[in-house]
Amino acid sequence: MSDRDDHNETVKSSFTRQLGIFQGEDSLFATQRELTRQHLGEVTPDDVVLDVACGAAHASEAAAPFVRQVVGIDLTRALLDEAHARLARNGIRNVLLQEGDAADLPFVDDSFDVVACRNSLHHFADPREQVREMARVCRRSGRVVISDMVAPEAGVRHRYDELHRLIDPSHTALLLAEELVRMLEDEVGPVIRHETLERVPVPLDLFLTEQSDSEAVLAALEDELAGGPATGFRPSRDDGRLSAGIQTTVVHARPR
């Protein structure tokens, strides 16, 4: 088994065990549909969109009313099954779901008007592979749109990644905002828009699961709140609930 295959198995195992955090209208992913639409940018009713590493297809669902067709692709069958059931309940008929690897997209060149990937880059072992594939299947007149968590600063990145892997073992590494922009310039083409959003506090209990080492994570964040070493999570407490400060960068690039 190759290193990529081995990591893919980790991803599938991890997200199968995380299925619960994708379920329900109050899940973190369900409540961010409008933000997802804003990240996607302007689309037309004729556009065909690819949602890469779509998870339970909340981003696909957000885009569906505004475009002709959305194709969502993901490694994890359990998430796709969850997405299929929810889309059927909600009457969404223009989303096609496919199981597959974002590093080897099963589509011909120039297939999509918009290729989007949301909050998934930090799960890829070598994200340049997936970004190159996104560029390949995107039409030259289209856009590759990536939004992902970014490290607040280089000095805490290693500690952040260590702690994030205690939450989710499929996490690999965060990029800095400028590194994400540069990657799209290198692997896709000219960057036509990029924005780093204000840090958003996200309650930690929304993404801790039974596979997380919750005790170690909570101890590290409590230690930081008490003046201990920075983790990059920028913890805060709101009404007794411990939150982590998540920062996201959105980049739009035009394929060469």
Side-chain angles (χ1 to χ4, degrees):
M1 181 179 289
S2 70
D3 288 345
R4 191 177 87 194
D5 290 339
D6 188 55
H7 181 67
N8 284 351
E9 288 304 312
T10 298
V11 170
K12 286 189 281 189
S13 173
S14 177
F15 278 97
T16 298
R17 296 169 73 186
Q18 292 181 72
L19 179 62
I21 68 174
F22 291 85
Q23 295 174 319
E25 287 304 304
D26 59 348
S27 77
L28 179 62
F29 304 94
T31 59
Q32 292 188 340
R33 289 193 185 99
E34 183 54 36
L35 183 61
T36 299
R37 273 281 302 119
Q38 294 172 20
H39 289 184
L40 187 62
E42 186 176 347
V43 291
T44 77
D46 292 325
D47 282 344
V48 179
V49 175
L50 176 64
D51 183 8
V52 176
C54 67
H58 290 95
S60 298
E61 183 177 4
F66 305 96
V67 301
R68 178 156 58 97
Q69 177 78 56
V70 184
V71 177
I73 187 166
D74 199 90
L75 278 173
T76 306
R77 185 72 202 185
L79 291 180
L80 295 172
D81 289 344
E82 171 67 23
H84 182 269
R86 191 190 70 255
L87 292 170
R89 287 195 305 271
N90 292 344
I92 305 295
R93 304 189 186 282
N94 63 330
V95 175
L96 173 68
L97 300 174
Q98 182 160 343
E99 188 174 351
D101 187 352
D104 187 18
L105 293 171
F107 310 111
V108 299
D109 297 357
D110 307 317
S111 293
F112 299 94
D113 299 291
V114 180
V115 178
C117 181
R118 183 170 183 270
N119 285 347
S120 296
L121 217 65
H122 63 278
H123 294 288
F124 300 150
D126 180 5
R128 287 183 180 270
E129 291 185 339
Q130 285 85 356
V131 173
R132 280 194 291 270
E133 277 290 273
M134 293 181 220
R136 179 184 66 78
V137 302
C138 188
R139 294 176 180 139
R140 303 307 96 179
S141 59
R143 288 176 292 124
V144 173
V145 181
I146 293 180
S147 60
D148 200 32
M149 301 161 52
V150 292
E153 55 192 57
V156 298
R157 175 162 44 184
H158 180 67
R159 178 63 176 140
Y160 186 104
D161 288 335
E162 286 183 333
L163 203 57
H164 200 142
R165 279 189 286 273
L166 294 180
I167 297 171
D168 177 358
S170 71
H171 173 81
T172 55
L174 287 190
L175 297 170
L176 299 172
E178 57 267 29
E179 291 172 338
L180 180 54
V181 172
R182 189 161 58 247
M183 180 184 294
L184 265 71
E185 288 174 336
D186 291 345
E187 305 296 345
V188 181
V191 168
I192 56 177
R193 170 189 162 193
H194 69 89
E195 178 183 12
T196 297
L197 308 177
E198 290 187 16
R199 190 173 291 105
V200 176
V202 178
L204 202 63
D205 54 31
L206 293 181
F207 49 90
L208 288 175
T209 68
E210 54 90 18
Q211 70 175 341
S212 306
D213 188 344
S214 300
E215 185 176 342
V217 172
L218 293 171
L221 298 185
E222 292 287 4
D223 188 39
E224 181 175 359
L225 281 173
T231 63
F233 276 75
R234 304 285 176 87
S236 61
R237 194 183 305 282
D238 303 295
D239 296 326
R241 203 174 186 187
L242 189 62
S243 294
I246 304 299
Q247 192 150 43
T248 299
T249 291
V250 184
V251 186
H252 293 232
R254 189 84 69 197
R256 295 185 181 87

